[in-house]
Amino acid sequence: KVFHVDPRFTRTSALADSYLPIRAGTDIALLGGVVRYILDNELDFREYVVAYTNAATILTEEYRDTEDLHGLFSGFKEENASYDQASWRYEGHAQDAVTRDTETQRETAAGLEHESHGAPVGAQTERDETLQHPRCVYQVLKRHFARYTPEMVERVCGIPQEKFLELAQAWTANSGRERTSMLVYSVGWTQHSVGVQYIRTGAIIQLLLGNVGRPGGGVMALRGHASIQGSTDIPTLFNLLPGYLPMPHHANHPTLDEWVDSIAHPGQKGFWGNARTYGVNLLKAYWGDAATAENDYCYGYMPRMTGDHGTYQQVLDMIDGKIKGYFLLGQNPAVGSAHGRAQRLGMANVDWLVVRDLFMIESATFWQNAPEIETGEIVPEECRTEVFFLPAASHVEKEGTFTQTQRLLQWREKAVEPPGDARSELWFFYHLGRVIRERLAQSTLPRDRALLDLNWDYPTHGPDAEPSAEAVLREINGYEVATGRPLSTFTEMKDDGSTLGGCWIYTGVYADGVNQAARRKPGSEQSYVAPEWGWAWPANRRILYNRASADPDGNPWSERKKYVWWDADKSEWTGYDVPDFEKKKPPSYRPPLDASGVQGIAGDDPFVLQGDGKGWLYAPTGVLDGPMPTHYEPVESPVRNPLYRQQANPTRKVYTHPINTLNPSPPEPHSEVFPYIFTVSRLTEHHTAGGMSRTVPHLAELQPEMFVEVSPELAAERGLHHLGWAHLVSTRAAIEAKVLVTDRLTPLRVEGRIIHQVWLPYHFGFEGLVTGDSANDLFGISLDPNVLIQESKVGTCDVQPGRRPRGRELLNLVVDYRRRSGDLSPHYPPLVTTDVADSGKDQEV
């Protein structure tokens, strides 16, 4: 049975069993309602919850909840809008100064570092397995979500109570010993100022219902690309190294030991106790023979973070003249990133820009075709940016692996040769590195040693000297330095420099010298788990934490859901999948009191990468905007938060740059200037910002114009006509679109009034066979504090009939809206809390 939750009735909705329309940006209220429904009706899978989650763990007396502080948690610091997490800790535990410095963590997107290994927490915890202690996580969770009633879900989300109850009843009925349910989300959850907490709420539900680590359960992230998972595993992110090792911070990690300890957190349980091994193998893969124990394996060569090095900080730095040059690969920020005008003005203020792409995308031609040419903000003859366009090979014109959303590495063969001068990324970076190293070969400057000592010797083939992708995969897999033998599993890695490996979680993909990612054994010839179709990290394991598919004694929860279990006769874990547990560790194993790392994991601790071995219903550290999810309104909203006095996420990342104006929201005045909610998503026929699809005749013909979907009620309210024109205005931009009047958008009753939402595709721009204004121009820049992803699934706007003005008149229109919204300076919804000592007064900051 499929339930589909979306602001707009889509082709997915049409095929689902039930569709729930929702106000964009309110998913925590919906999911929180499900949590409350589970707890109030005692529908949690109690044995699973007690044994495998931290529900029984007792919190410190110092903890105060949003229920006590009107939407804030204890430890909030107004001077920098961050939390001191000391009061969130478990009873009897302490938290170090680095963990408590959440302002630095926000600047470096530290929440993303915990994506695979959790935040630091001591192994031994005080527990009440009756779940009756008033400070145990179960009771704290129950109190926190008490106000998320079906009535509140309807007030906040606009979802009728009977539709909400249908979802809650079906989800709980299909969970437990005999049945499991899966939760599926996509970027509609991630691109929010509370996106991490959306996913946390979904994970809480799945843990309560026993749907984690079991077949048919889990939380599945659907992505818009084939290798989004791969781009965080072997990252294209500023704050991560391969295998989710955090990038060192210049102040906190001056030495190898301090960096390793910040990952391993000495004294806590889990496989991250082997962080030194993973780090040394990566350093050895980078610097080869130059990396020795005497020089800390060249740790001194590692780049260090000094703060926010994310894409939005960079574009603001470009506008301010702080960045001279930029490489752009696989991205089209001129139309594909939030606040398109800022992106284009930033690129117009660098000395040089290298664009590698399949087509002449907007980010390569902004200096001659952008909307700012018409307004006079960019003058082609005066634009300082020298653009170098380098043609790139497409995915069918190069070999290598994709790592898709199930952590599955799949090898792709080269189908055809790339045309002309088009080259793969592997070719480009290998030969760029080769040329730079040749030019620096005679350098004696210490700063150049990191480049000159790199392990940069890959075999090439063919007339264009294409590097071998298999050789790179072998290095990522890892091997013995002395013999060259590929490693079979990350447990073979050593921390003494005798092995190397570029990404510890991928070790085994080249086991026995065989490209395991290239396996394509038909499903009819193997089990339903299909272990010989590609290769899944880690260790070809298809379901993470699958120890939880058996009960604490190691027996399957039910015959129907049998997956991994303890074989008492053989004294080992076995099953249909690779057990996510030490093979010979029995369920009865209990670690000594002083045990840590892998030895600290008890025989019934399925969450082997967490510091206490449990799934976290409550996060005592590591999540920067609260230990439990809380409904905050989007940064731009026409609605006052019905649940708390705190309006928006108080810890969101804010950029106080003059170009980054934001629309007012309650309780600020003038929010009525932008009365409508807009949201964006994909069309089947187009891909991301359109660079790969608006250039293809068949796809361009299927979706030839930028359009906006509006309800018949909004069309009547604003005088819009089907197939006519409308323009949408925010404090950043005004765009125009053809009008599609449709019942797919339902006006929602929220807080006693009708709220209208409009929908836009985000695939259009000014290049290609079909063109149109970019929806991303409407967004400002507001980020989730944990991972620094932008809120680009919800904003507010005005909608007017007719086409937008052109040239200087367009600028005048936007300036007029800014004037009417109260201020021309950067504008942020205020922090609204209640002083507990004087509860009658609001404090506005």
Side-chain angles (χ1 to χ4, degrees):
K1 193 167 187 179
V2 176
F3 285 79
H4 187 227
V5 183
D6 200 287
R8 165 177 168 264
F9 189 91
T10 70
R11 283 175 264 197
T12 302
S13 312
L15 295 174
D17 295 281
S18 186
Y19 165 67
L20 285 73
I22 189 171
R23 178 164 67 95
T26 65
D27 299 62
I28 288 175
L30 169 64
L31 297 169
V34 176
V35 173
R36 180 188 181 276
Y37 181 86
I38 295 167
L39 297 176
D40 273 16
N41 294 286
E42 297 192 348
L43 295 169
D44 54 282
F45 186 179
R46 185 58 56 90
E47 291 172 82
Y48 180 106
V49 168
V50 171
Y52 294 162
T53 79
N54 64 353
T57 306
I58 297 171
L59 306 183
T60 173
E61 290 182 342
E62 299 167 29
Y63 172 71
R64 293 292 179 271
D65 193 67
T66 52
E67 299 302 294
D68 309 306
L69 302 174
H70 305 280
L72 296 178
F73 295 94
S74 52
F76 187 75
K77 299 183 291 186
E78 288 192 12
E79 65 271 17
N80 57 18
S82 69
Y83 282 108
D84 178 342
Q85 300 178 353
S87 62
W88 304 356
R89 68 190 186 278
Y90 293 157
E91 182 66 55
H93 284 201
Q95 288 180 335
D96 61 57
V98 172
T99 301
R100 292 170 59 179
D101 180 13
T102 57
E103 184 181 21
T104 297
Q105 291 185 60
R106 178 175 57 201
E107 293 304 298
T108 55
L112 194 59
E113 296 168 11
H114 305 313
E115 194 166 280
S116 70
H117 62 276
V121 62
Q124 305 301 324
T125 61
E126 295 187 26
R127 292 168 58 82
D128 170 19
E129 299 202 348
T130 69
L131 305 186
Q132 297 306 305
H133 193 291
R135 287 187 281 114
C136 79
V137 165
Y138 188 88
Q139 294 296 334
V140 170
L141 195 72
K142 196 170 182 178
R143 180 169 178 251
H144 178 79
F145 285 106
R147 67 172 66 196
Y148 291 72
T149 61
E151 295 80 6
M152 184 61 80
V153 171
E154 184 172 44
R155 281 180 59 191
V156 177
C157 306
I159 297 173
Q161 292 181 47
E162 60 272 16
K163 296 292 288 185
F164 163 76
L165 289 170
E166 181 190 0
L167 169 67
Q169 289 162 2
W171 201 342
T172 52
N174 197 60
S175 303
R177 277 185 177 270
E178 298 288 339
R179 305 190 67 82
T180 50
S181 295
M182 178 177 285
L183 179 60
V184 180
Y185 74 90
S186 59
V187 290
W189 263 15
T190 57
Q191 293 177 354
H192 289 271
S193 57
V194 285
V196 164
Q197 295 281 16
Y198 276 14
I199 298 150
R200 280 269 302 130
T201 325
I204 288 169
I205 293 171
Q206 293 296 69
L207 285 168
L208 286 172
L209 296 177
N211 286 328
V212 180
R214 303 178 65 207
V219 180
M220 180 70 74
L222 297 185
R223 277 68 173 263
H225 297 275
S227 201
I228 292 295
Q229 182 67 54
S231 71
T232 50
D233 297 344
I234 298 184
T236 54
L237 303 163
F238 77 86
N239 65 327
L240 284 184
L241 293 165
Y244 299 91
L245 293 164
M247 183 71 78
H249 189 277
H250 80 103
N252 297 332
H253 312 125
T255 67
L256 175 63
D257 287 343
E258 287 166 298
W259 178 59
V260 165
D261 285 351
S262 75
I263 307 166
H265 307 302
Q268 75 172 31
K269 300 181 185 182
F271 274 85
W272 279 100
N274 297 327
R276 173 174 288 274
T277 299
Y278 312 146
V280 167
N281 275 261
L282 175 63
L283 294 170
K284 191 73 179 172
Y286 282 160
W287 285 289
D289 293 340
T292 65
E294 290 71 29
N295 62 16
D296 272 348
Y297 301 99
C298 293
Y299 176 75
Y301 290 166
M302 285 291 290
R304 311 292 163 88
M305 290 189 296
T306 58
D308 180 358
H309 304 285
T311 180
Y312 290 101
Q313 182 63 64
Q314 287 177 344
V315 76
L316 298 176
D317 285 347
M318 290 183 202
I319 290 173
D320 293 341
K322 297 177 181 178
I323 293 178
K324 291 186 177 295
Y326 208 58
F327 282 86
L328 201 56
L329 306 92
Q331 242 176 275
N332 191 9
V335 293
S337 293
H339 205 330
R341 175 170 168 264
Q343 304 289 335
R344 296 184 292 266
L345 292 178
M347 289 188 290
N349 199 39
V350 295
D351 292 345
W352 53 266
L353 176 70
V354 174
V355 180
R356 291 192 76 253
D357 214 290
L358 310 181
F359 305 98
M360 291 291 285
I361 58 172
E362 288 83 357
S363 295
T365 65
F366 69 90
W367 60 274
Q368 58 182 170
N369 293 331
E372 288 72 29
I373 306 297
E374 198 174 57
T375 61
E377 294 169 278
I378 298 176
V379 179
E381 295 79 10
E382 299 175 6
C383 180
R384 61 183 290 190
T385 309
E386 185 174 10
V387 179
F388 299 88
F389 182 83
L390 302 178
S394 75
H395 63 282
V396 298
E397 296 162 352
K398 56 195 175 190
E399 63 180 4
T401 59
F402 288 125
T403 307
Q404 41 92 314
T405 197
Q406 290 170 269
R407 299 169 288 103
L408 193 68
L409 278 76
Q410 294 175 281
W411 185 265
R412 66 184 191 283
E413 311 289 348
K414 181 192 288 186
V416 294
E417 292 295 327
D421 288 332
R423 297 287 185 272
S424 70
E425 284 74 29
L426 189 55
W427 182 96
F428 174 76
F429 282 112
Y430 170 71
H431 287 289
L432 178 64
R434 178 184 58 80
V435 170
I436 291 173
R437 281 157 50 85
E438 287 173 358
R439 294 193 176 187
L440 293 175
Q442 304 307 314
S443 173
T444 58
L445 296 175
R447 70 180 189 190
D448 295 331
R449 291 315 313 169
L451 277 171
L452 292 173
D453 287 345
L454 275 174
N455 198 8
W456 205 253
D457 184 21
Y458 301 96
T460 61
H461 57 88
D464 297 322
E466 177 75 18
S468 166
E470 278 216 23
V472 174
L473 188 64
R474 175 177 174 269
E475 183 183 58
I476 288 170
N477 176 90
Y479 55 84
E480 286 181 344
V481 173
T483 66
R485 179 187 69 83
L487 304 178
S488 295
T489 173
F490 62 82
T491 57
E492 293 183 350
M493 287 180 162
K494 303 287 191 282
D495 67 357
D496 60 2
S498 61
T499 61
L500 65 78
C503 183
W504 71 276
I505 60 175
Y506 279 20
T507 304
V509 71
Y510 213 77
D512 303 319
V514 175
N515 184 346
Q516 307 287 334
R519 298 180 302 174
R520 299 187 182 91
K521 189 172 184 177
S524 59
E525 298 177 14
Q526 53 178 326
S527 74
Y528 79 94
V529 177
E532 295 181 73
W533 182 271
W535 186 90
W537 70 261
N540 202 32
R541 184 171 294 125
R542 303 305 165 114
I543 296 181
L544 285 178
Y545 303 123
N546 58 37
R547 164 67 180 88
S549 69
D551 67 19
D553 294 328
N555 303 311
W557 289 109
S558 72
E559 191 64 27
R560 187 174 187 271
K561 286 292 175 181
K562 190 175 185 179
Y563 193 71
V564 165
W565 59 91
W566 176 252
D567 186 328
D569 293 334
K570 295 181 179 178
S571 294
E572 65 181 31
W573 289 93
T574 187
Y576 305 127
D577 196 359
V578 177
D580 195 1
F581 210 67
E582 289 177 275
K583 193 174 182 68
K584 296 291 186 178
K585 179 175 281 186
S588 59
Y589 172 79
R590 294 297 178 268
L593 281 177
D594 59 349
S596 62
V598 180
Q599 292 72 35
I601 299 170
D604 58 356
D605 279 339
F607 293 90
V608 295
L609 289 173
Q610 289 287 81
D612 55 359
K614 307 297 182 186
W616 282 7
L617 301 169
Y618 169 98
T621 186
V623 185
L624 305 187
D625 44 359
M628 290 181 292
T630 301
H631 169 72
Y632 297 118
E633 287 293 313
V635 173
E636 295 184 354
S637 170
V639 175
R640 183 74 174 96
N641 188 347
L643 279 112
Y644 306 104
R645 302 184 73 85
Q646 178 59 38
Q647 173 74 359
N649 186 346
T651 65
R652 67 193 180 277
K653 178 62 190 287
V654 170
Y655 293 104
T656 56
H657 193 282
I659 201 169
N660 190 36
T661 53
L662 296 181
N663 299 348
S665 297
E668 289 183 313
H670 311 302
S671 62
E672 71 282 355
V673 174
F674 301 101
Y676 305 119
I677 297 169
F678 75 97
T679 186
V680 302
S681 58
R682 306 170 190 272
L683 294 166
T684 304
E685 296 80 4
H686 283 304
H687 185 63
T688 61
M692 292 176 66
S693 55
R694 286 187 283 106
T695 50
V696 179
H698 300 86
L699 296 175
E701 184 178 14
L702 286 169
Q703 291 287 1
E705 286 192 273
M706 174 63 176
F707 62 98
V708 57
E709 293 197 10
V710 302
S711 66
E713 293 84 351
L714 178 58
E717 183 176 303
R718 272 295 192 246
L720 308 176
H721 301 285
H722 186 61
L723 300 184
W725 287 94
H727 59 279
L728 295 81
V729 191
S730 73
T731 56
R732 280 79 56 183
I735 67 167
E736 64 184 15
K738 281 290 188 71
V739 175
L740 176 59
V741 180
T742 173
D743 288 326
R744 289 197 293 238
L745 282 162
T746 304
L748 301 175
R749 181 167 292 279
V750 176
E751 284 288 81
R753 64 188 177 107
I754 296 298
I755 294 293
H756 291 287
Q757 302 187 109
V758 302
W759 177 89
L760 299 153
Y762 68 89
H763 307 293
F764 285 87
F766 47 85
E767 297 294 343
L769 299 175
V770 294
T771 60
D773 285 351
S774 170
N776 283 315
D777 285 7
L778 290 174
F779 287 109
I781 304 173
S782 296
L783 309 186
D784 179 290
N786 297 284
V787 294
L788 300 188
I789 197 168
Q790 74 285 346
E791 185 157 76
S792 55
K793 286 297 178 185
V794 59
T796 58
C797 68
D798 192 18
V799 182
Q800 294 290 342
R803 306 194 71 164
R804 64 168 172 83
R806 325 298 294 190
R808 298 298 301 182
E809 290 303 310
L810 174 61
L811 293 180
N812 292 340
L813 174 69
V814 176
V815 167
D816 182 59
Y817 268 85
R818 287 210 294 265
R819 178 189 56 79
R820 290 163 51 199
S821 67
D823 201 341
L824 283 174
S825 64
H827 214 66
Y828 302 94
L831 182 72
V832 179
T833 62
T834 297
D835 188 335
V836 177
D838 186 10
S839 58
K841 296 181 179 179
D842 285 350
Q843 291 178 329
E844 295 193 6
V845 179

